[in-house]
Amino acid sequence: MSIGIRGNFVVGYDGAEHRMIRDGVVVVEGKRIKHVGKSYDDHVDRWIDAAGCLVTPGLINTHLHAATAPVDKSFLEDIGVRPLYGSNLGENLDALGDSITAADMEVYARYSLAECLKSGNTTVFELGMIPAIGEEKTLRVIGDSGIRACEGHVFGDGAFERVDKYDFKTRWLGEEVGAERLGNAVAFAEKYRGALGGRLITALSPSSILSSSIPLQRKIKAEADRLDVPVSIHAGEWVLEFQNMLRMYGKTPIGVLAESGLLSPRLTIGHCWAVSGHPLLAYPSTGAGDLGLIAAAGATVSHDPVVFAKRGNRMHSHSAYLKAGVNVSIGTDTAPQDILNEMRIASYVSKLADWDYASGTSREIFDSVTLRGARALGRKDLGRLAPGALADITVIDMTTLNTVPCRDPIRNLVNSAQRGDVKYVMVDGEMLVEEGRLVKVDERKLAEEVQRVTEAVWRKIPEHHPTKKTADEVSPPSIRGWGP
Ligand SMILES: [Zn+2]
């Protein structure tokens, strides 16, 4: 089956960079792109007239938690824990997480992937679905959605635990536990390599620098090299983590990753705002600092700005990391799984961090969700529209009230476009969003399910909160109820 898309603005790739083709075409044959250019004269089975639209490579999201994140919504906004430097990790998030059942998490995973697709996001580096719902269901949920997903076991050989009030420490679980968990992760990565018709990209995903010892990190690096798979880890995620790394090793989280050798072109570091030189840490860089280490190693940072902007914090900055030579991609992390929203906030918080309009430009942000995201996964056949690349394509309407007037569609994509402006989304040549609707999902039914399961979660909060607070005590409603 061949499909041709005619659009007013087609982002072609010339082998070195994106180039804008005015009134161009993209032709897909099966799973791959056959042709990109001004015109195409041969037969095509189906033509899609995307008049007034921007046709771009499918957007790549390098860090998200599909199975648990939706529960953050309507709950964690405007709240944090002050003694934990405003983070909800270790307290409110744990109370929520422990109140969710495996059945809820399957609903959430389906919902998150649907949200991703609706925002034009075709590839996700997902973390946490396997521990939440198991390998088989994870494959089924990803397969049913049609999205391209990078997936692996999330594991470690330590537990970062509360030992007293706001004192947290890592309890190491021993070499055997680490070896067994790494073994399971490796077995998954080998067994399911190229599953779902190639849509599944297997990975090794140690959960956090706090729960992965240096010896385990070394073994992960060796296995990742042997398997030729990408690796993900949380590091530079919160102040407590940064401080605990200094206490344990006398090194920053990035310094520890450099010592173990896990810091390499295979690695995508989730969040990574807490690096030497960040104003919140009062820990100046020496020499090129943490950014210099990341750049020298060729590792990727997943900039996930929304979840931190909500806590009053930001990475310093998207542009500064790029200037230091770091491959910066973008991830959504938590709800909403809306890559367009994340791109906009990434641009704005970069400008705010640098006090500079020229920071976080639309072009920088666009490259981060296309070419740089593909580099994070070690893939030259994603993130670009070029003959031979995989047919992952997003079409955004530039004629809606959100997106007119349009002179520069990349600026409009980053600054103005909304999820509702995403008209078509294709993965592997398969159309998953048509005329703005998900082809494989009953959207109304899914929304009802998410509401139903989450109401039950909120009721269970007191059972799992460290001080037995109710949902309304942890997160008071924005407006008090009517009456006395
Ligand atoms: Zn995360």
Side-chain angles (χ1 to χ4, degrees):
M1 165 101 177
S2 56
I3 299 176
I5 304 171
R6 278 194 198 94
N8 281 60
F9 306 95
V10 174
V11 181
Y13 181 72
D14 70 359
E17 63 168 341
H18 293 310
R19 300 290 289 261
M20 189 61 75
I21 307 167
R22 287 298 303 262
D23 302 320
V25 296
V26 182
V27 177
V28 169
E29 180 88 58
K31 290 181 174 193
R32 292 194 183 265
I33 292 168
K34 187 178 180 190
H35 173 80
V36 180
K38 287 289 285 180
S39 60
Y40 188 74
D41 296 329
D42 289 352
H43 168 79
V44 165
D45 295 327
R46 180 189 174 194
W47 273 107
I48 291 170
D49 180 14
C53 292
L54 167 67
V55 183
T56 84
L59 309 177
I60 298 171
N61 179 348
T62 54
H63 185 105
L64 76 156
H65 307 284
T68 49
V71 81
D72 295 6
K73 223 173 178 177
S74 204
F75 196 88
L76 289 184
E77 299 92 347
D78 307 328
I79 68 164
V81 182
R82 292 204 184 274
L84 300 178
Y85 285 80
S87 179
N88 283 303
L89 288 165
E91 189 159 311
N92 296 332
L93 259 171
D94 294 21
L96 277 174
D98 294 342
S99 305
I100 313 173
T101 66
D104 300 341
M105 289 195 261
E106 188 176 340
V107 173
Y108 286 159
R110 289 182 189 279
Y111 168 60
S112 294
L113 298 185
E115 278 198 285
C116 289
L117 286 169
K118 288 269 283 190
S119 68
N121 173 193
T122 53
T123 297
V124 292
F125 200 150
E126 202 283 327
L127 303 156
M129 225 194 280
I130 295 172
I133 60 175
E135 291 182 357
E136 270 177 36
K137 278 189 182 157
T138 294
L139 255 79
R140 199 180 316 143
V141 168
I142 295 168
D144 290 350
S145 79
I147 206 163
R148 190 179 304 286
C150 187
E151 195 72 52
H153 278 234
V154 173
F155 64 100
D157 60 350
F160 190 62
E161 292 174 339
R162 187 186 289 262
V163 288
D164 186 26
K165 292 205 172 153
Y166 293 100
D167 189 9
F168 286 71
K169 281 199 173 68
T170 300
R171 179 168 56 89
W172 296 111
L173 304 171
E175 208 178 313
E176 258 177 45
V177 172
E180 189 195 334
R181 291 179 182 176
L182 174 60
N184 292 336
V186 166
F188 176 84
E190 280 180 321
K191 183 174 174 191
Y192 293 106
R193 175 192 292 277
L196 304 174
R199 284 182 191 181
L200 191 77
I201 303 165
T202 55
L204 297 180
S205 298
S207 173
S208 162
I209 186 83
L210 282 166
S211 58
S212 301
S213 68
I214 289 178
L216 181 67
Q217 289 176 39
R218 290 204 177 102
K219 287 179 195 151
I220 292 166
K221 173 63 167 58
E223 289 291 5
D225 286 346
R226 185 178 69 79
L227 297 165
D228 190 21
V229 295
V231 180
S232 164
I233 196 167
H234 288 92
E237 183 184 14
W238 55 325
V239 178
L240 245 66
E241 173 222 289
F242 192 89
Q243 292 173 338
N244 271 274
M245 286 294 116
L246 292 179
R247 279 189 207 123
M248 273 197 276
Y249 301 109
K251 285 189 167 143
T252 65
I254 299 305
V256 172
L257 288 172
E259 187 187 320
S260 74
L262 195 58
L263 197 68
S264 77
R266 296 194 181 282
L267 185 68
T268 296
I269 311 164
H271 312 318
C272 200
W273 66 264
V275 295
S276 62
H278 191 281
L280 198 61
L281 300 169
Y283 189 90
S285 283
T286 45
D290 284 344
L291 295 188
L293 291 175
I294 302 168
T300 294
V301 164
S302 182
H303 181 202
D304 313 332
V306 170
V307 68
F308 295 99
K310 284 179 183 172
R311 311 269 100 73
N313 192 14
R314 56 197 179 270
M315 192 169 107
H316 280 237
S317 64
H318 199 96
S319 288
Y321 280 42
L322 290 173
K323 283 196 190 90
V326 175
N327 185 48
V328 188
S329 60
I330 293 178
T332 49
D333 192 53
T334 62
Q337 306 290 0
D338 180 343
I339 196 76
L340 296 176
N341 182 50
E342 211 72 38
M343 288 159 67
R344 185 164 312 137
I345 307 290
S347 169
Y348 294 170
V349 300
S350 190
K351 293 175 196 297
L352 288 166
D354 290 338
W355 301 83
D356 187 355
Y357 57 82
S359 176
T361 63
S362 301
R363 176 58 190 272
E364 285 175 345
I365 300 300
F366 183 70
D367 282 355
S368 287
V369 290
T370 53
L371 297 171
R372 294 196 192 102
R375 191 179 136 191
L377 303 174
R379 298 290 294 250
K380 289 196 169 133
D381 55 357
L382 295 173
R384 67 209 70 197
L385 300 184
L390 286 161
D392 293 6
I393 302 174
T394 294
V395 177
I396 302 107
D397 194 344
M398 287 289 153
T399 67
T400 73
L401 287 179
N402 296 321
T403 51
V404 289
C406 182
R407 173 181 156 270
D408 183 331
I410 298 303
R411 285 192 186 135
N412 284 20
L413 179 71
V414 173
N415 291 277
S416 309
Q418 307 276 342
R419 204 145 56 176
D421 304 321
V422 174
K423 212 167 172 186
Y424 299 98
V425 177
M426 177 190 277
V427 175
D428 253 2
E430 184 184 9
M431 203 63 89
L432 300 175
V433 174
E434 284 234 34
E435 296 292 343
R437 303 291 298 175
L438 287 161
V439 174
K440 300 170 140 218
V441 177
D442 181 337
E443 295 186 22
R444 179 88 327 256
K445 194 169 151 232
L446 181 59
E448 283 168 7
E449 251 184 302
V450 169
Q451 180 67 24
R452 180 177 53 75
V453 303
T454 314
E455 282 178 8
V457 171
W458 293 326
R459 282 194 294 274
K460 283 185 273 181
I461 296 282
E463 291 170 43
H464 303 292
H465 192 273
T467 54
K468 306 294 167 210
K469 285 181 180 167
T470 65
D472 279 5
E473 284 166 343
V474 176
S475 177
S478 295
I479 295 181
R480 208 154 64 88
W482 188 261

